[in-house]
Amino acid sequence: MSSTPSLEELPPIAQPDDELQYFETHAPPANIAQLSLEVRDFIAHHHAAHRRVVLVSSGGTTVPLENQTVRFIDNFSAGTRGATSAEYFLEAGYAVVFLHRQFSLLPYSRHYSHSTNCFLDYLSEWGRIGEGEDAAEGGDVVVKQKYRQQMLDVLRKYRRAKENKTLLLLPYTTVTSYLFLLREVAMRMQVLGSEGLFYLAAAVSDFFVPPDRMAEHKIQSGDIPGAAGEDNHAAAAVAPGPRGKKLVIDLDPVPKFLNRLVEGWAPNAMIISFKLETDSAILLYKCRQALERYNHQLVIGNLLSTRKFEVVFVDNKKNENWIRVPEAKEGEEQLEIESLIVPEVVRRHNQSIGGASIHRF
Ligand code: PAZ
């Protein structure tokens, strides 16, 4: 435990001045004005219908090494936790703002994308007779019998979310676009007061290249005759090494904006963050430390290797509760741990706003 930093040794939490500085020196996503209007309308619609809104963040953020980005550093996350949880929140009657890494898993389509099966493997040709070159064409495409029931269930849920407009998809790629969008949505959600919920499952970069040290062009691994070393000031550059050129990257800490979310952007909402670790010996320590630093309501801790089977809820009353699901045996379907996490989160949200009921369709 002695190798984990104490509160005093951690990078300072972001203050209003840090927020001003960060958002003034970084370019917002090009479409932020349009997205902000969509968020405004989405929240106004569900607020008027007395429906709760949860922001679910999902997937990993990237840190570009060049302005014209060829290379970037990525954060681990497939988006499974976020996409799966979003489905259970929709089932529980929430409207969901799904702030996700572009091309990571999405609610509903996750059942058929990114899997080892190609989506075409779920389909067959109806009316096709025979095999190989002699087969007669059928002319229609249908879902194979063995997948039909499950796909129908997913399709119905997906259609319900579409028809009721309860799912808003907001994509990001870089840590900067994630932070701009998080702030934007949080400000828009203020109108919901304690009915607003933040469920921050995204894996957000801790280190980045500040704009004044960002290389403009692709970092070259060798010398270009006649080219001036214009990127020598950059945070990522090649330098001589014992076995040829090496890439040296010098990153700054990303300001800790969870504090700004709790105190400034969404002061009345319930805020839940996730904490991912790989060393079980420090997981609880890091969860408690996050609560102490940011003063929000709940941290859900998980380990990389067991995140699908167990998580721990650490709350601001010093309670620690584990949720576990058994690992499925071969051929069995895995019970999704989010099917237990989300109802427990909803129970706590109910409690925090005095047991108000949820308006469902
Ligand atoms: O997306 P996924 O299911 O592969 O992984 C989910 C997770 C481990 C990224 C998430 O549960 C989590 O812990 N997010 C916070 C990561 C962090 O500590 O920054």
Side-chain angles (χ1 to χ4, degrees):
M1 191 67 75
S2 57
S3 63
T4 52
S6 68
L7 278 183
E8 296 71 41
E9 290 166 331
L10 292 169
I13 52 180
Q15 301 301 327
D17 279 354
D18 302 313
E19 177 184 338
L20 214 63
Q21 210 265 345
Y22 185 90
F23 288 100
E24 273 181 1
T25 55
H26 288 81
N31 55 351
I32 194 160
Q34 172 59 32
L35 294 179
S36 180
L37 294 180
E38 285 176 32
V39 172
R40 181 198 64 188
D41 294 349
F42 182 85
I43 288 167
H45 173 75
H46 293 294
H47 187 41
H50 305 290
R51 189 166 299 108
R52 291 187 199 159
V53 179
V54 58
L55 176 135
V56 174
S57 75
S58 182
T61 63
T62 69
V63 167
L65 299 184
E66 302 124 343
N67 262 331
Q68 298 190 40
T69 308
V70 174
R71 303 201 179 88
F72 55 88
I73 301 173
D74 209 345
N75 249 56
F76 165 83
S77 172
T80 317
R81 175 82 76 225
T84 310
S85 300
E87 287 182 20
Y88 288 106
F89 275 118
L90 288 162
E91 257 176 65
Y94 282 68
V96 175
V97 178
F98 191 64
L99 179 58
H100 66 283
R101 166 74 175 275
Q102 190 174 35
F103 307 127
S104 65
L105 291 174
L106 293 176
Y108 306 117
S109 73
R110 74 180 171 99
H111 297 275
Y112 306 104
S113 64
H114 302 51
S115 76
T116 46
N117 274 5
C118 163
F119 79 95
L120 293 170
D121 292 331
Y122 294 98
L123 306 176
S124 63
E125 193 174 338
W126 190 75
R128 186 179 170 88
I129 302 164
E131 287 296 324
E133 285 180 8
D134 299 330
E137 301 286 305
D140 247 329
V141 175
V142 289
V143 174
K144 283 180 186 162
Q145 183 62 40
K146 65 175 166 177
Y147 302 120
R148 223 169 266 174
Q149 190 54 52
Q150 196 229 14
M151 199 176 270
L152 190 61
D153 292 345
V154 174
L155 177 67
R156 285 181 176 152
K157 288 179 189 165
Y158 170 71
R159 233 178 8 216
R160 195 175 330 129
K162 272 199 111 160
E163 281 163 6
N164 296 330
K165 299 186 172 57
T166 44
L167 177 61
L168 180 67
L169 302 179
L170 289 186
Y172 65 80
T173 302
T174 65
V175 63
T176 301
S177 52
Y178 168 82
L179 289 170
F180 266 100
L181 288 170
L182 176 65
R183 186 173 73 149
E184 197 66 29
V185 179
M187 304 282 206
R188 295 281 188 199
M189 281 177 65
Q190 277 184 8
V191 60
L192 301 167
S194 61
E195 300 253 319
L197 176 64
F198 288 77
Y199 182 88
L200 304 174
V204 182
S205 319
D206 286 327
F207 301 99
F208 79 127
V209 177
D212 58 340
R213 289 196 288 126
M214 179 88 87
E216 177 58 25
H217 293 288
K218 181 184 167 193
I219 298 161
Q220 297 296 323
S221 54
D223 295 328
I224 308 287
E230 59 166 334
D231 285 331
N232 281 347
H233 63 289
V238 287
R243 286 175 293 280
K245 300 272 186 185
K246 59 181 181 177
L247 183 65
V248 180
I249 304 178
D250 177 15
L251 301 172
D252 281 8
V254 174
K256 297 292 178 194
F257 283 122
L258 186 49
N259 180 55
R260 297 300 307 133
L261 178 68
V262 175
E263 286 184 1
W265 308 344
N268 299 314
M270 179 168 183
I271 296 173
I272 299 170
S273 67
F274 277 77
K275 174 62 70 189
L276 173 67
E277 291 299 336
T278 54
D279 179 355
S280 61
I282 65 168
L283 180 64
L284 284 169
Y285 173 82
K286 294 296 291 281
C287 293
R288 290 185 206 118
Q289 191 180 57
L291 279 176
E292 223 174 296
R293 284 192 99 195
Y294 304 113
N295 283 314
H296 54 311
Q297 288 82 352
L298 180 69
V299 176
I300 303 180
N302 54 174
L303 293 169
L304 184 66
S305 55
T306 57
R307 68 192 187 285
K308 290 184 194 297
F309 315 113
E310 60 175 17
V311 299
V312 58
F313 279 46
V314 181
D315 68 22
N316 53 7
K317 296 188 182 67
K318 298 192 187 318
N319 298 310
E320 293 164 6
N321 300 104
W322 288 88
I323 289 185
R324 293 190 170 95
V325 293
E327 199 170 337
K329 298 197 182 70
E330 208 173 310
E332 280 179 2
E333 205 168 317
Q334 178 63 48
L335 177 65
E336 294 176 325
I337 194 167
E338 292 79 7
S339 71
L340 303 182
I341 297 175
V342 171
E344 176 55 21
V345 165
V346 171
R347 191 189 68 75
R348 288 169 186 247
H349 192 206
N350 285 342
Q351 213 169 38
S352 81
I353 53 184
S357 67
I358 303 179
H359 178 96
R360 291 167 191 273
F361 284 102

Short mmCIF file of all heavy atoms in Angstrom, two decimals, residues 76-81 200-204 274-276 302 307, ligand 1:
data_model
loop_
_atom_site.label_atom_id
_atom_site.label_comp_id
_atom_site.label_asym_id
_atom_site.label_seq_id
_atom_site.Cartn_x
_atom_site.Cartn_y
_atom_site.Cartn_z
N PHE A 76 -7.94 1.82 -22.46
CA PHE A 76 -8.67 0.56 -22.58
C PHE A 76 -10.16 0.75 -22.28
O PHE A 76 -10.52 1.31 -21.27
CB PHE A 76 -8.11 -0.48 -21.59
CG PHE A 76 -9.05 -1.63 -21.45
CD1 PHE A 76 -9.02 -2.65 -22.37
CD2 PHE A 76 -10.03 -1.65 -20.46
CE1 PHE A 76 -9.94 -3.69 -22.29
CE2 PHE A 76 -10.94 -2.69 -20.37
CZ PHE A 76 -10.89 -3.72 -21.30
N SER A 77 -11.01 0.27 -23.14
CA SER A 77 -12.44 0.07 -22.88
C SER A 77 -13.13 -0.25 -24.20
O SER A 77 -13.01 0.49 -25.17
CB SER A 77 -13.10 1.31 -22.27
OG SER A 77 -14.50 1.14 -22.20
N ALA A 78 -13.86 -1.36 -24.20
CA ALA A 78 -14.61 -1.73 -25.41
C ALA A 78 -15.95 -1.01 -25.45
O ALA A 78 -16.59 -0.95 -26.49
CB ALA A 78 -14.83 -3.24 -25.42
N GLY A 79 -16.38 -0.50 -24.28
CA GLY A 79 -17.70 0.12 -24.20
C GLY A 79 -18.78 -0.86 -23.77
O GLY A 79 -19.97 -0.53 -23.81
N THR A 80 -18.37 -2.03 -23.31
CA THR A 80 -19.36 -3.04 -22.89
C THR A 80 -20.14 -2.56 -21.67
O THR A 80 -21.38 -2.64 -21.64
CB THR A 80 -18.67 -4.38 -22.54
OG1 THR A 80 -17.69 -4.64 -23.52
CG2 THR A 80 -19.67 -5.51 -22.45
N ARG A 81 -19.41 -2.09 -20.67
CA ARG A 81 -20.08 -1.65 -19.43
C ARG A 81 -21.11 -0.55 -19.73
O ARG A 81 -22.26 -0.62 -19.28
CB ARG A 81 -19.03 -1.10 -18.44
CG ARG A 81 -19.60 -0.50 -17.19
CD ARG A 81 -19.93 -1.55 -16.15
NE ARG A 81 -18.75 -2.04 -15.50
CZ ARG A 81 -18.48 -3.35 -15.27
NH1 ARG A 81 -19.34 -4.26 -15.64
NH2 ARG A 81 -17.37 -3.72 -14.65
N LEU A 200 -20.48 7.39 -14.84
CA LEU A 200 -19.28 7.67 -15.63
C LEU A 200 -18.42 6.42 -15.77
O LEU A 200 -17.49 6.20 -14.99
CB LEU A 200 -18.50 8.82 -14.96
CG LEU A 200 -19.34 10.09 -14.75
CD1 LEU A 200 -18.55 11.12 -13.95
CD2 LEU A 200 -19.79 10.68 -16.08
N ALA A 201 -18.73 5.63 -16.79
CA ALA A 201 -18.01 4.37 -17.00
C ALA A 201 -16.88 4.51 -18.03
O ALA A 201 -16.14 3.55 -18.24
CB ALA A 201 -18.99 3.28 -17.44
N ALA A 202 -16.77 5.66 -18.67
CA ALA A 202 -15.71 5.84 -19.68
C ALA A 202 -14.34 5.77 -19.02
O ALA A 202 -14.18 6.12 -17.85
CB ALA A 202 -15.88 7.18 -20.39
N ALA A 203 -13.37 5.32 -19.79
CA ALA A 203 -11.98 5.28 -19.30
C ALA A 203 -11.29 6.53 -19.85
O ALA A 203 -10.96 6.60 -21.04
CB ALA A 203 -11.30 4.02 -19.79
N VAL A 204 -11.13 7.51 -18.99
CA VAL A 204 -10.67 8.84 -19.43
C VAL A 204 -9.17 8.98 -19.19
O VAL A 204 -8.67 8.65 -18.11
CB VAL A 204 -11.45 9.94 -18.65
CG1 VAL A 204 -11.01 11.33 -19.12
CG2 VAL A 204 -12.94 9.76 -18.84
N PHE A 274 -16.64 5.35 -12.03
CA PHE A 274 -16.04 4.02 -11.97
C PHE A 274 -14.55 4.15 -11.73
O PHE A 274 -13.93 5.14 -12.11
CB PHE A 274 -16.27 3.26 -13.28
CG PHE A 274 -17.62 2.59 -13.35
CD1 PHE A 274 -18.76 3.33 -13.60
CD2 PHE A 274 -17.74 1.23 -13.15
CE1 PHE A 274 -20.00 2.72 -13.66
CE2 PHE A 274 -18.98 0.61 -13.21
CZ PHE A 274 -20.12 1.35 -13.46
N LYS A 275 -13.98 3.15 -11.11
CA LYS A 275 -12.53 3.12 -10.91
C LYS A 275 -12.02 1.76 -11.37
O LYS A 275 -12.46 0.72 -10.87
CB LYS A 275 -12.23 3.35 -9.43
CG LYS A 275 -10.81 3.22 -9.00
CD LYS A 275 -9.87 4.19 -9.63
CE LYS A 275 -9.99 5.64 -9.21
NZ LYS A 275 -9.14 6.53 -10.05
N LEU A 276 -11.13 1.80 -12.33
CA LEU A 276 -10.54 0.56 -12.86
C LEU A 276 -9.11 0.42 -12.33
O LEU A 276 -8.32 1.37 -12.40
CB LEU A 276 -10.49 0.62 -14.39
CG LEU A 276 -9.75 -0.53 -15.08
CD1 LEU A 276 -10.47 -1.85 -14.89
CD2 LEU A 276 -9.58 -0.26 -16.57
N ASN A 302 -13.71 -1.73 -10.02
CA ASN A 302 -13.59 -3.04 -10.70
C ASN A 302 -12.16 -3.29 -11.12
O ASN A 302 -11.38 -2.36 -11.31
CB ASN A 302 -14.57 -3.18 -11.87
CG ASN A 302 -14.52 -2.08 -12.93
OD1 ASN A 302 -15.18 -2.17 -13.95
ND2 ASN A 302 -13.74 -1.03 -12.75
N ARG A 307 -13.81 -7.74 -14.22
CA ARG A 307 -14.82 -6.67 -14.27
C ARG A 307 -16.20 -7.16 -14.72
O ARG A 307 -17.19 -6.53 -14.42
CB ARG A 307 -14.34 -5.52 -15.16
CG ARG A 307 -14.26 -5.87 -16.63
CD ARG A 307 -13.51 -4.81 -17.41
NE ARG A 307 -13.58 -5.06 -18.84
CZ ARG A 307 -12.88 -6.00 -19.47
NH1 ARG A 307 -12.06 -6.78 -18.81
NH2 ARG A 307 -13.00 -6.15 -20.78
O1 PAZ B 1 -15.93 -1.01 -21.58
P1 PAZ B 1 -15.49 -2.24 -20.85
O2 PAZ B 1 -16.66 -3.02 -20.37
O3 PAZ B 1 -14.51 -3.02 -21.64
O4 PAZ B 1 -14.70 -1.73 -19.57
C1 PAZ B 1 -15.38 -0.98 -18.60
C2 PAZ B 1 -14.41 -0.22 -17.69
C3 PAZ B 1 -13.48 -1.19 -17.00
C4 PAZ B 1 -13.59 0.75 -18.52
C5 PAZ B 1 -15.29 0.54 -16.64
O5 PAZ B 1 -15.98 -0.37 -15.86
C6 PAZ B 1 -14.43 1.43 -15.75
O6 PAZ B 1 -13.90 1.02 -14.76
N1 PAZ B 1 -14.30 2.71 -16.10
C7 PAZ B 1 -13.48 3.69 -15.38
C8 PAZ B 1 -12.04 3.56 -15.81
C9 PAZ B 1 -11.11 4.45 -14.98
O7 PAZ B 1 -10.70 4.07 -13.88
O8 PAZ B 1 -10.83 5.52 -15.47
#
